[in-house]
Amino acid sequence: MARVVVDVMLKPEILDPQGQAVQRALPRLGFDGIADVRQGKRFELEVEGPVDDAALARIHKMAETFLANTVIEDFVVKVES
């Protein structure tokens, strides 16, 4: 079985209140020097069979229609070895 990862992040122009809350909390917890934080989602998919172009196209379509809100989020599909 192969693992395919889909990383979903808010588009740069979209405000990220959760990331901002984390960024503001870090200095209070002793973690200085962090200028910005963006929060996202990571999906790890265990794929049966080979991860060929057809499988990647299906996963890309899945990410586009179900895993990400493409109006406000970008996503990246990658195969992990």
Side-chain angles (χ1 to χ4, degrees), residues 2 47-56 58:
V47 179
E48 295 176 349
V51 181
D52 54 13
D53 289 341
L56 285 174
R58 284 194 331 271

Side-chain angles (χ1 to χ4, degrees), residues 4-79:
V4 177
V5 174
V6 180
D7 286 317
V8 181
M9 293 293 295
L10 287 170
K11 291 181 177 182
E13 63 272 16
I14 301 298
L15 222 70
D16 184 358
Q18 190 169 1
Q20 290 174 343
V22 170
Q23 191 273 329
R24 286 190 304 270
L26 290 173
R28 292 192 308 267
L29 298 170
F31 299 102
D32 295 320
I34 305 299
D36 192 26
V37 175
R38 302 287 290 174
Q39 183 265 331
K41 300 179 279 192
R42 176 183 169 102
F43 298 92
E44 295 182 357
L45 309 170
E46 295 293 329
V47 179
E48 295 176 349
V51 181
D52 54 13
D53 289 341
L56 285 174
R58 284 194 331 271
I59 292 168
H60 190 275
K61 186 67 174 171
M62 177 194 324
E64 188 174 54
T65 59
F66 182 66
L67 301 178
N69 177 350
T70 56
V71 173
I72 62 169
E73 294 174 320
D74 292 323
F75 66 90
V76 176
V77 176
K78 56 189 169 201
V79 180

